[in-house]
Structure formats: structure tokens, C-alpha cells
Amino acid sequence: MTEITPAQPHPAVLELAKAKAALAAGLTIAQGARLQGVTDEELTADATAFAAELNAGTPTAPATLVGGSQGPDVGNATGVAAGASLYRDRYGIVDGERPARTSRSPLTENTYTMNGRW
């Protein structure tokens, strides 16, 4: 087991210092684990240099993956009320009541007869 010298901080303290320096420079905690140095000044300098290499100082907006006003059927309307109105229009809901069903489930209709020898 290695002994901790006064010049070398405790591993938990060093890990916390790396995390603080990384977050201050705009890096993630995982990226901060790669920082080199023992003192706060060394870690901050390394984090700043690492962030400059990764261009982490100017984060880009994340790409929208789902939701939002996308697609031709949405139009310019936004918000919950616009979505509810579109739903009512699509499914024919008037005054909160759905239209009567026009067809039944094919699984519930008995369209055959048994021609067996009973």
C-alpha cells in the first residue's frame, strides 16, 4: 500500500478538485478524471487547456430529437390547447363526446356456421 505524502493530497480530495476544475472549465466529470496535476492551479490550467482543445467553452445546442413543432400536420399552432383542438378535429369529437362506432370488432362477430355432424 502506498503512503500519502504531505505534497500528495488524499485521493478523494484530488478527485473532488478535479471535478470542480472540470465543471468550472465546462467539462464533464468523466473528462475531469483525466486532468493532470495536484494543486488547484495546476488542475485549473489543465482543465482550461483541455476545454480549449475540445472547444468545450462554447457548447452547441443539443439537437432536438423528438417533439416540438415538426411536421406538416402541426402548422403554426403551439401549446396544449392547439394539440387538443387538432385531436378533436381528427377524431370527430364534438362537445366532449365521441361519434358512435360504425363498425364492430371482427373478432366479436359470428360470421360462420358449423356444418358438422352433431
Side-chain angles (χ1 to χ4, degrees):
M1 187 164 150
T2 60
E3 292 186 27
I4 299 174
T5 62
Q8 186 180 21
H10 190 274
V13 174
L14 183 60
E15 186 177 346
L16 179 63
K18 285 181 178 184
K20 285 182 180 180
L23 292 176
L27 299 170
T28 64
I29 301 292
Q31 291 169 334
R34 298 176 179 219
L35 298 179
Q36 300 294 317
V38 177
T39 65
D40 288 339
E41 293 80 19
E42 292 173 347
L43 291 171
T44 302
D46 192 29
T48 305
F50 191 34
E53 290 176 16
L54 296 176
N55 196 18
T58 55
T60 58
T64 304
L65 300 177
V66 296
S69 297
Q70 299 174 4
D73 59 337
V74 175
N76 293 332
T78 59
V80 175
S85 175
L86 182 62
Y87 183 84
R88 284 191 299 272
D89 292 343
R90 275 192 188 159
Y91 297 102
I93 299 174
V94 180
D95 296 326
E97 305 239 350
R98 292 186 176 271
R101 290 187 175 194
T102 56
S103 65
R104 294 178 47 179
S105 171
L107 300 175
T108 59
E109 294 183 16
N110 198 1
T111 59
Y112 63 91
T113 58
M114 302 238 348
N115 293 332
R117 298 181 200 165
W118 296 80

